[in-house]
């Protein structure tokens, strides 16, 4: 490959403390790629490992011209690592996979073959998943069932990292937070045509899993958030089976209108309940109407700031900046639990204090909605959110040049 020639295939592998896995995995990937016979690059994204992962990769790279290593200064999460890999990948076709040898590179040719049947995204399905039954496989089946109902994307295994993509499509899909688990649903926003095939799965031999049961609650909040995101953005998708050639969600006026529409729609029940209660429970009625009005206010401000934020050269509005950078956690993770607690408290108080309880419930709902609206802004600005700091990027000469072009 010379500096102007781009590889056909890019393999993206996020790794966090996987020192023992990277060498055997790279060798397997290399053997499979050589057998395919197309030009390729393998991008390992070291997500701020504390073990010797980076040292092992650096040494390997000095012997392997197809290997590129991106290194984060600190742990930014699997989604950010994948997003960085997609950003720097130069191939027309991209494969993502875990770096712990649980996915099998031998499945890559099958994924590519399926992709060539005119799909934009082919997902692996770990039909015979080699993980713990109660803590991993059962929650995963439930989560995938809910995701398929909520999003209408009937994929069996959203959580499988082994996937194949057309580069021009995946590079348009905004990824932030832990959205790597929802790539199929997110891809529908840009009109991706999605397929799935059964892939192999092996038990972990070296190192440990990076996630515990805590992911269940986070996944529930994520499902709520992206349901809203889909309802705001999905209309922009070209759902007629044609791949998109430009950023659909950059249509500012449509986005503005859609956010306004969703928030205005949410506010309607509060006005109706408020009106019904006006002679029975005045305080509750007033607070309902107040909440409805706030929602409309939020819808306007959000629509405005969203549209503004989407202009890539423009400065972010204070509201957009707050949701993107001011929240230590993602908006839904920050406001969601607080809103739920306030509403629950309000429900309990209603028994003894019928004047205070409903107000608290409404405030709780409002706080929750703030989280959801913040999420739409965050989504629209996902590229800014994925604020990973790349410390070093090593590759054959052509990729170093590519990195210099990008930075
Ligand atoms: N990973 C990462 N950053 C993180 C957590 C995980 O890059 O903060 C990588 C990890 O090294 C592995 C992949 O993401 O290559 C999947 O992680 P893991 O195997 O722990 O997840 P599981 O298979 O248990 O769902
Ligand atoms: Mg794993």
């Amino acid at each position: 490959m010379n500096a102007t020639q781009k590889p056909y295939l890019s393999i993206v592998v996020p790794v966090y403390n996987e020192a023992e896995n990277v060498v055997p995995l790279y060798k397997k990937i290399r053997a499979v790629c050589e057998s395919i016979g197309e030009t390729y690059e393998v991008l390992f994204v070291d997500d701020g490992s504390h073990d010797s992962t980076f040292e092992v990769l650096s040494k390997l790279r000095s012997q392997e011209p197809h290997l590129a290593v991106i290194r984060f200064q600190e742990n930014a999460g699997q989604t950010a690592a994948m997003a960085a890999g997609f950003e720097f990948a130069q191939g027309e076709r991209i494969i993502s996979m875990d770096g712990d040898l649980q996915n099998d590179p031998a499945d890559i040719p099958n994924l590519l073959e399926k992709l060539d049947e005119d799909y934009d995204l082919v997902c692996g399905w770990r039909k015979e998943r080699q993980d713990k039954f109660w803590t991993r496989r059962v929650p995963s089946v439930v989560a995938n069932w809910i995701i398929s109902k909520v999003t209408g994307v009937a994929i069996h295994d959203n959580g499988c990292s082994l996937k194949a993509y057309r580069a021009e499509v995946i590079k348009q899909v905004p990824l932030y937070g832990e959205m790597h688990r929802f790539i199929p649903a997110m891809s529908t926003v840009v009109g991706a045509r999605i397929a799935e095939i059964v892939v192999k799965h092996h038990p972990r031999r070296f190192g440990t899993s990076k996630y515990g049961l805590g992911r269940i609650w986070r996944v529930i909040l994520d499902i709520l958030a992206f349901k809203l995101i889909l309802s705001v953005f999905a209309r922009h998708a070209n759902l007629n089976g044609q791949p998109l050639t430009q950023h659909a969600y950059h249509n500012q006026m449509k986005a503005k209108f859609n956010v306004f529409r969703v928030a205005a729609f949410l506010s309607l029940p509060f006005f109706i309940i408020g009106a019904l209660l006006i002679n029975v429970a005045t305080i509750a009625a007033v607070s309902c109407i107040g909440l409805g009005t706030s929602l409309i206010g939020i819808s306007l401000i959000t629509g405005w700031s969203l549209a503004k934020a989407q202009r890539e050269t423009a400065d972010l509005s204070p509201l957009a900046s707050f949701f993107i950078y001011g929240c230590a956690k993602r908006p839904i993770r920050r406001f969601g639990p607080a809103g739920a607690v306030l509403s629950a408290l309000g429900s309990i108080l209603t028994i003894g204090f019928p004047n205070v309880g409903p107000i608290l419930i409404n405030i709780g709902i409002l706080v929750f909605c703030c989280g959801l609206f913040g999420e739409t802004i965050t989504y629209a600005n996902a590229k800014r959110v994925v604020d990973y700091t790349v410390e070093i990027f090593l590759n054959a000469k052509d990729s170093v040049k590519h990195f210099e072009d990008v930075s």
Side-chain angles (χ1 to χ4, degrees):
M1 269 187 298
N2 63 38
T4 50
Q5 226 179 358
K6 293 189 171 178
Y8 172 76
L9 184 61
S10 299
I11 317 283
V12 171
V13 190
V15 281
Y16 178 51
N17 297 342
E18 306 284 4
E20 291 152 300
N21 290 313
V22 288
V23 173
L25 177 61
Y26 177 78
K27 287 185 175 160
K28 282 187 176 196
I29 293 175
R30 186 185 60 191
V32 170
C33 289
E34 294 291 341
S35 75
I36 293 172
E38 300 278 2
T39 50
Y40 68 95
E41 62 177 0
V42 184
L43 290 108
F44 273 82
V45 187
D46 173 21
D47 184 14
S49 295
H50 300 295
D51 67 356
S52 58
T53 301
F54 182 70
E55 286 68 35
V56 175
L57 283 171
S58 297
K59 196 164 160 239
L60 188 63
R61 190 209 61 86
S62 62
Q63 303 145 10
E64 297 290 338
H66 293 282
L67 175 62
V69 182
I70 300 169
R71 185 189 198 186
F72 287 180
Q73 281 173 339
E74 52 190 50
N75 181 239
Q78 193 180 342
T79 302
M82 284 173 82
F86 295 152
E87 194 173 338
F88 288 109
Q90 300 179 83
E92 285 170 38
R93 303 279 193 270
I94 301 178
I95 300 278
S96 64
M97 64 189 302
D98 282 349
D100 57 358
L101 291 168
Q102 290 202 261
N103 297 139
D104 197 327
D107 286 309
I108 293 174
N110 297 339
L111 288 162
L112 292 173
E113 201 176 300
K114 193 76 189 171
L115 202 64
D116 280 339
E117 288 175 21
D118 226 12
Y119 290 104
D120 300 309
L121 164 59
V122 180
C123 307
W125 171 15
R126 297 164 293 179
K127 201 168 178 184
E128 287 172 24
R129 194 171 164 176
Q130 305 295 322
D131 280 321
K132 286 187 188 127
F133 186 74
W134 286 110
T135 52
R136 307 300 298 281
R137 281 157 56 195
V138 171
S140 157
V141 168
V142 175
N144 281 300
W145 183 81
I146 296 173
I147 292 169
S148 70
K149 292 293 160 212
V150 169
T151 63
V153 183
I155 293 289
H156 286 92
D157 192 1
N158 283 273
C160 178
S161 303
L162 182 56
K163 293 186 171 79
Y165 319 82
R166 275 174 207 274
E168 74 270 21
V169 174
I170 191 61
K171 281 173 189 266
Q172 289 179 47
V173 178
L175 289 177
Y176 67 97
E178 288 177 34
M179 285 303 184
H180 67 271
R181 298 207 183 91
F182 303 112
I183 287 178
M186 288 296 188
S187 303
T188 61
V189 176
V190 294
R193 296 154 300 175
I194 304 169
E196 74 177 343
I197 62 168
V198 173
V199 294
K200 294 184 247 321
H201 193 241
H202 305 291
R204 218 184 219 280
R205 277 169 51 217
F206 308 114
T208 50
S209 170
K210 311 299 179 285
Y211 305 104
L213 275 178
R215 76 172 115 190
I216 294 177
W217 164 243
R218 297 203 301 271
V219 166
I220 291 171
L221 287 177
D222 283 343
I223 290 172
L224 273 172
F226 79 62
K227 178 66 187 168
L228 183 81
I229 287 167
L230 290 185
S231 67
V232 173
F233 292 92
R235 292 220 160 204
H236 297 220
N238 179 346
L239 297 173
N240 302 324
Q242 298 300 314
L244 290 192
T245 50
Q246 57 186 12
H247 288 214
Y249 46 85
H250 273 190
N251 188 331
Q252 297 161 18
M253 290 316 289
K254 272 192 192 164
K256 186 174 179 177
F257 173 69
N258 277 330
V259 174
F260 170 76
R261 197 185 55 178
V262 170
F265 177 72
L266 283 178
S267 70
L268 204 63
F270 293 105
F271 282 115
I272 294 170
I273 296 167
L276 291 176
L277 286 180
I278 200 83
N279 292 324
V280 194
T282 317
I283 294 184
V286 169
S287 67
C288 264
I289 292 168
L291 183 64
T293 315
S294 332
L295 272 173
I296 288 203
I298 285 180
S299 78
L300 284 171
I301 298 166
T302 310
W304 166 74
S305 65
L306 180 69
K308 192 167 183 293
Q310 277 186 319
R311 258 175 258 139
E312 277 174 1
T313 51
D315 288 338
L316 292 176
S317 69
L319 189 71
S321 300
F322 169 72
F323 280 124
I324 295 165
Y325 300 121
C327 287
K329 289 182 180 167
R330 286 178 38 206
I332 187 62
R333 303 253 173 92
R334 177 158 169 173
F335 290 97
V341 168
L342 281 176
S343 292
L345 211 65
S347 312
I348 297 165
L349 279 181
T350 306
I351 302 163
F353 307 89
N355 289 342
V356 183
I359 297 177
L360 216 54
I361 296 175
N362 282 342
I363 294 175
I365 296 170
L366 182 65
V367 170
F368 202 95
C369 287
C370 275
L372 287 177
F373 287 119
E375 203 68 21
T376 58
I377 295 182
T378 313
Y379 173 82
N381 288 279
K383 276 259 183 280
R384 302 181 205 229
V385 184
V386 181
D387 187 19
Y388 45 78
T389 321
V390 178
E391 183 180 284
I392 195 163
F393 183 82
L394 300 167
N395 195 10
K397 281 180 237 80
D398 50 351
S399 287
V400 172
K401 183 180 176 302
H402 171 69
F403 175 63
E404 283 161 0
D405 291 345
V406 175
S407 57

Short mmCIF file of all heavy atoms in Angstrom, two decimals, residues 211-247:
data_model
loop_
_atom_site.label_atom_id
_atom_site.label_comp_id
_atom_site.label_asym_id
_atom_site.label_seq_id
_atom_site.Cartn_x
_atom_site.Cartn_y
_atom_site.Cartn_z
N TYR A 211 -17.84 -5.48 32.50
CA TYR A 211 -19.16 -5.01 32.91
C TYR A 211 -19.79 -5.95 33.93
O TYR A 211 -19.59 -7.16 33.88
CB TYR A 211 -20.10 -4.92 31.69
CG TYR A 211 -19.56 -4.09 30.58
CD1 TYR A 211 -19.04 -4.68 29.43
CD2 TYR A 211 -19.59 -2.70 30.66
CE1 TYR A 211 -18.55 -3.90 28.39
CE2 TYR A 211 -19.09 -1.92 29.64
CZ TYR A 211 -18.58 -2.54 28.50
OH TYR A 211 -18.09 -1.78 27.48
N GLY A 212 -20.62 -5.37 34.82
CA GLY A 212 -21.35 -6.19 35.79
C GLY A 212 -22.84 -6.04 35.59
O GLY A 212 -23.30 -5.59 34.54
N LEU A 213 -23.62 -6.36 36.64
CA LEU A 213 -25.08 -6.27 36.53
C LEU A 213 -25.57 -4.83 36.43
O LEU A 213 -26.70 -4.59 36.01
CB LEU A 213 -25.72 -6.94 37.75
CG LEU A 213 -25.91 -8.46 37.65
CD1 LEU A 213 -26.52 -9.00 38.93
CD2 LEU A 213 -26.79 -8.83 36.45
N GLY A 214 -24.73 -3.87 36.81
CA GLY A 214 -25.09 -2.45 36.77
C GLY A 214 -25.55 -2.02 35.39
O GLY A 214 -26.27 -1.03 35.23
N ARG A 215 -25.17 -2.76 34.36
CA ARG A 215 -25.54 -2.34 33.01
C ARG A 215 -27.04 -2.47 32.76
O ARG A 215 -27.57 -1.83 31.87
CB ARG A 215 -24.72 -3.08 31.96
CG ARG A 215 -25.14 -4.51 31.70
CD ARG A 215 -24.37 -5.05 30.50
NE ARG A 215 -23.51 -6.14 30.91
CZ ARG A 215 -22.59 -6.68 30.13
NH1 ARG A 215 -22.38 -6.22 28.93
NH2 ARG A 215 -21.85 -7.67 30.55
N ILE A 216 -27.75 -3.28 33.57
CA ILE A 216 -29.18 -3.50 33.30
C ILE A 216 -29.97 -2.20 33.43
O ILE A 216 -30.72 -1.82 32.53
CB ILE A 216 -29.75 -4.59 34.24
CG1 ILE A 216 -29.10 -5.94 33.91
CG2 ILE A 216 -31.27 -4.69 34.11
CD1 ILE A 216 -29.50 -7.08 34.80
N TRP A 217 -29.78 -1.48 34.53
CA TRP A 217 -30.48 -0.21 34.75
C TRP A 217 -30.09 0.80 33.69
O TRP A 217 -30.92 1.53 33.15
CB TRP A 217 -30.17 0.27 36.18
CG TRP A 217 -30.46 1.71 36.50
CD1 TRP A 217 -29.56 2.66 36.87
CD2 TRP A 217 -31.75 2.35 36.50
NE1 TRP A 217 -30.20 3.84 37.10
CE2 TRP A 217 -31.55 3.69 36.88
CE3 TRP A 217 -33.04 1.93 36.22
CZ2 TRP A 217 -32.58 4.61 36.98
CZ3 TRP A 217 -34.08 2.85 36.32
CH2 TRP A 217 -33.84 4.17 36.70
N ARG A 218 -28.81 0.83 33.34
CA ARG A 218 -28.36 1.79 32.33
C ARG A 218 -28.97 1.48 30.98
O ARG A 218 -29.36 2.38 30.24
CB ARG A 218 -26.82 1.77 32.24
CG ARG A 218 -26.14 2.21 33.54
CD ARG A 218 -24.74 2.71 33.27
NE ARG A 218 -23.89 1.71 32.64
CZ ARG A 218 -23.15 0.83 33.29
NH1 ARG A 218 -23.14 0.83 34.60
NH2 ARG A 218 -22.42 -0.03 32.64
N VAL A 219 -29.09 0.19 30.69
CA VAL A 219 -29.67 -0.20 29.40
C VAL A 219 -31.15 0.20 29.34
O VAL A 219 -31.64 0.68 28.32
CB VAL A 219 -29.49 -1.72 29.14
CG1 VAL A 219 -30.35 -2.20 27.99
CG2 VAL A 219 -28.02 -2.03 28.85
N ILE A 220 -31.87 0.08 30.49
CA ILE A 220 -33.29 0.47 30.50
C ILE A 220 -33.41 1.97 30.18
O ILE A 220 -34.22 2.38 29.35
CB ILE A 220 -33.93 0.16 31.88
CG1 ILE A 220 -34.02 -1.36 32.06
CG2 ILE A 220 -35.31 0.79 32.00
CD1 ILE A 220 -34.42 -1.81 33.44
N LEU A 221 -32.59 2.80 30.84
CA LEU A 221 -32.63 4.23 30.56
C LEU A 221 -32.26 4.52 29.11
O LEU A 221 -32.86 5.37 28.45
CB LEU A 221 -31.68 4.99 31.49
CG LEU A 221 -32.12 5.12 32.95
CD1 LEU A 221 -31.05 5.83 33.76
CD2 LEU A 221 -33.43 5.89 33.06
N ASP A 222 -31.28 3.79 28.60
CA ASP A 222 -30.86 3.98 27.20
C ASP A 222 -31.99 3.66 26.24
O ASP A 222 -32.17 4.34 25.23
CB ASP A 222 -29.66 3.09 26.87
CG ASP A 222 -28.38 3.67 27.44
OD1 ASP A 222 -28.37 4.86 27.80
OD2 ASP A 222 -27.39 2.93 27.52
N ILE A 223 -32.77 2.61 26.56
CA ILE A 223 -33.86 2.24 25.66
C ILE A 223 -34.87 3.39 25.58
O ILE A 223 -35.31 3.77 24.50
CB ILE A 223 -34.56 0.94 26.15
CG1 ILE A 223 -33.60 -0.25 25.95
CG2 ILE A 223 -35.85 0.69 25.38
CD1 ILE A 223 -34.09 -1.55 26.55
N LEU A 224 -35.21 3.96 26.76
CA LEU A 224 -36.13 5.09 26.78
C LEU A 224 -35.58 6.26 25.96
O LEU A 224 -36.28 6.87 25.16
CB LEU A 224 -36.32 5.58 28.22
CG LEU A 224 -37.39 4.90 29.04
CD1 LEU A 224 -37.29 5.37 30.48
CD2 LEU A 224 -38.76 5.26 28.46
N ALA A 225 -34.29 6.53 26.17
CA ALA A 225 -33.68 7.67 25.50
C ALA A 225 -33.70 7.49 23.99
O ALA A 225 -34.08 8.39 23.25
CB ALA A 225 -32.25 7.87 25.98
N PHE A 226 -33.32 6.31 23.53
CA PHE A 226 -33.23 6.24 22.07
C PHE A 226 -34.58 6.06 21.41
O PHE A 226 -34.74 6.34 20.23
CB PHE A 226 -32.15 5.30 21.56
CG PHE A 226 -32.44 3.85 21.57
CD1 PHE A 226 -33.47 3.30 20.84
CD2 PHE A 226 -31.61 3.01 22.28
CE1 PHE A 226 -33.70 1.95 20.84
CE2 PHE A 226 -31.85 1.65 22.28
CZ PHE A 226 -32.89 1.12 21.57
N LYS A 227 -35.60 5.66 22.22
CA LYS A 227 -36.97 5.67 21.66
C LYS A 227 -37.34 7.12 21.29
O LYS A 227 -37.89 7.39 20.23
CB LYS A 227 -37.96 5.11 22.68
CG LYS A 227 -39.40 5.12 22.22
CD LYS A 227 -39.61 4.20 21.05
CE LYS A 227 -41.02 4.32 20.47
NZ LYS A 227 -41.14 3.66 19.17
N LEU A 228 -37.00 8.03 22.20
CA LEU A 228 -37.28 9.44 21.92
C LEU A 228 -36.43 9.92 20.74
O LEU A 228 -36.92 10.58 19.83
CB LEU A 228 -36.99 10.31 23.14
CG LEU A 228 -37.34 11.78 22.91
CD1 LEU A 228 -38.83 12.02 23.11
CD2 LEU A 228 -36.56 12.69 23.83
N ILE A 229 -35.17 9.55 20.76
CA ILE A 229 -34.27 9.96 19.68
C ILE A 229 -34.82 9.47 18.34
O ILE A 229 -34.87 10.22 17.36
CB ILE A 229 -32.85 9.42 19.92
CG1 ILE A 229 -32.20 10.21 21.06
CG2 ILE A 229 -32.00 9.50 18.66
CD1 ILE A 229 -30.96 9.58 21.60
N LEU A 230 -35.25 8.21 18.32
CA LEU A 230 -35.77 7.68 17.05
C LEU A 230 -37.00 8.46 16.63
O LEU A 230 -37.18 8.77 15.45
CB LEU A 230 -36.12 6.19 17.19
CG LEU A 230 -34.96 5.22 17.34
CD1 LEU A 230 -35.46 3.79 17.33
CD2 LEU A 230 -33.95 5.40 16.22
N SER A 231 -37.86 8.81 17.61
CA SER A 231 -39.08 9.50 17.20
C SER A 231 -38.76 10.92 16.71
O SER A 231 -39.49 11.47 15.90
CB SER A 231 -40.09 9.53 18.35
OG SER A 231 -39.60 10.34 19.39
N VAL A 232 -37.67 11.49 17.20
CA VAL A 232 -37.31 12.83 16.75
C VAL A 232 -36.57 12.78 15.41
O VAL A 232 -36.84 13.57 14.52
CB VAL A 232 -36.41 13.54 17.80
CG1 VAL A 232 -35.89 14.86 17.27
CG2 VAL A 232 -37.20 13.77 19.08
N PHE A 233 -35.67 11.82 15.28
CA PHE A 233 -34.77 11.85 14.13
C PHE A 233 -35.13 10.87 13.01
O PHE A 233 -34.72 11.07 11.88
CB PHE A 233 -33.33 11.55 14.56
CG PHE A 233 -32.74 12.63 15.41
CD1 PHE A 233 -32.82 12.58 16.78
CD2 PHE A 233 -32.12 13.73 14.81
CE1 PHE A 233 -32.28 13.58 17.57
CE2 PHE A 233 -31.58 14.72 15.59
CZ PHE A 233 -31.66 14.66 16.98
N ALA A 234 -35.85 9.79 13.36
CA ALA A 234 -35.97 8.72 12.37
C ALA A 234 -36.68 9.14 11.10
O ALA A 234 -36.48 8.55 10.06
CB ALA A 234 -36.66 7.51 12.98
N ARG A 235 -37.49 10.16 11.17
CA ARG A 235 -38.20 10.60 9.97
C ARG A 235 -37.25 11.07 8.89
O ARG A 235 -37.62 11.14 7.73
CB ARG A 235 -39.15 11.73 10.32
CG ARG A 235 -40.26 11.23 11.17
CD ARG A 235 -41.55 11.85 10.78
NE ARG A 235 -42.63 11.01 11.27
CZ ARG A 235 -43.82 11.02 10.73
NH1 ARG A 235 -44.06 11.78 9.70
NH2 ARG A 235 -44.76 10.25 11.22
N HIS A 236 -36.06 11.40 9.33
CA HIS A 236 -35.09 11.87 8.34
C HIS A 236 -34.49 10.73 7.56
O HIS A 236 -33.87 10.93 6.55
CB HIS A 236 -33.95 12.61 9.04
CG HIS A 236 -34.43 13.83 9.75
ND1 HIS A 236 -33.73 14.99 9.76
CD2 HIS A 236 -35.55 14.05 10.45
CE1 HIS A 236 -34.40 15.89 10.45
NE2 HIS A 236 -35.50 15.33 10.88
N ALA A 237 -34.70 9.54 8.09
CA ALA A 237 -34.05 8.41 7.44
C ALA A 237 -34.70 8.13 6.09
O ALA A 237 -35.87 8.37 5.89
CB ALA A 237 -34.18 7.19 8.32
N ASN A 238 -33.86 7.64 5.22
CA ASN A 238 -34.39 7.17 3.95
C ASN A 238 -34.75 5.71 4.16
O ASN A 238 -33.90 4.85 4.22
CB ASN A 238 -33.31 7.33 2.87
CG ASN A 238 -33.81 6.84 1.54
OD1 ASN A 238 -34.83 6.17 1.46
ND2 ASN A 238 -33.09 7.19 0.51
N LEU A 239 -36.00 5.45 4.34
CA LEU A 239 -36.40 4.09 4.70
C LEU A 239 -36.84 3.29 3.47
O LEU A 239 -37.45 2.26 3.58
CB LEU A 239 -37.53 4.13 5.73
CG LEU A 239 -37.12 4.77 7.06
CD1 LEU A 239 -38.32 4.94 7.97
CD2 LEU A 239 -36.06 3.96 7.77
N ASN A 240 -36.49 3.79 2.31
CA ASN A 240 -36.90 3.07 1.10
C ASN A 240 -35.84 2.09 0.63
O ASN A 240 -35.84 1.66 -0.51
CB ASN A 240 -37.19 4.06 -0.03
CG ASN A 240 -38.26 5.04 0.37
OD1 ASN A 240 -39.20 4.67 1.09
ND2 ASN A 240 -38.13 6.28 -0.05
N GLY A 241 -34.90 1.80 1.51
CA GLY A 241 -33.91 0.80 1.14
C GLY A 241 -32.73 1.36 0.38
O GLY A 241 -31.88 0.62 -0.10
N GLN A 242 -32.62 2.68 0.26
CA GLN A 242 -31.47 3.26 -0.43
C GLN A 242 -30.47 3.77 0.60
O GLN A 242 -30.87 4.39 1.58
CB GLN A 242 -31.92 4.46 -1.29
CG GLN A 242 -32.90 4.10 -2.39
CD GLN A 242 -32.32 3.09 -3.36
OE1 GLN A 242 -31.19 3.24 -3.80
NE2 GLN A 242 -33.08 2.05 -3.66
N PRO A 243 -29.18 3.52 0.39
CA PRO A 243 -28.21 4.06 1.34
C PRO A 243 -28.17 5.58 1.25
O PRO A 243 -28.39 6.14 0.18
CB PRO A 243 -26.88 3.46 0.87
CG PRO A 243 -27.11 3.09 -0.55
CD PRO A 243 -28.57 2.79 -0.70
N LEU A 244 -27.90 6.21 2.37
CA LEU A 244 -27.84 7.66 2.36
C LEU A 244 -26.47 8.14 1.95
O LEU A 244 -25.47 7.51 2.24
CB LEU A 244 -28.16 8.21 3.75
CG LEU A 244 -29.59 8.05 4.19
CD1 LEU A 244 -29.84 8.88 5.45
CD2 LEU A 244 -30.55 8.50 3.12
N THR A 245 -26.42 9.26 1.30
CA THR A 245 -25.13 9.77 0.88
C THR A 245 -24.74 10.99 1.68
O THR A 245 -23.64 11.47 1.61
CB THR A 245 -25.16 10.16 -0.61
OG1 THR A 245 -26.30 10.98 -0.81
CG2 THR A 245 -25.24 8.94 -1.49
N GLN A 246 -25.64 11.54 2.46
CA GLN A 246 -25.27 12.70 3.26
C GLN A 246 -25.91 12.62 4.64
O GLN A 246 -26.77 11.79 4.87
CB GLN A 246 -25.70 13.98 2.57
CG GLN A 246 -27.19 14.01 2.27
CD GLN A 246 -27.55 15.22 1.45
OE1 GLN A 246 -26.68 15.90 0.94
NE2 GLN A 246 -28.82 15.49 1.33
N HIS A 247 -25.49 13.46 5.53
CA HIS A 247 -26.00 13.44 6.90
C HIS A 247 -27.46 13.85 6.94
O HIS A 247 -27.80 15.01 6.80
CB HIS A 247 -25.20 14.41 7.77
CG HIS A 247 -23.82 13.93 8.06
ND1 HIS A 247 -23.19 14.18 9.24
CD2 HIS A 247 -22.96 13.21 7.32
CE1 HIS A 247 -21.99 13.62 9.21
NE2 HIS A 247 -21.84 13.04 8.05
#
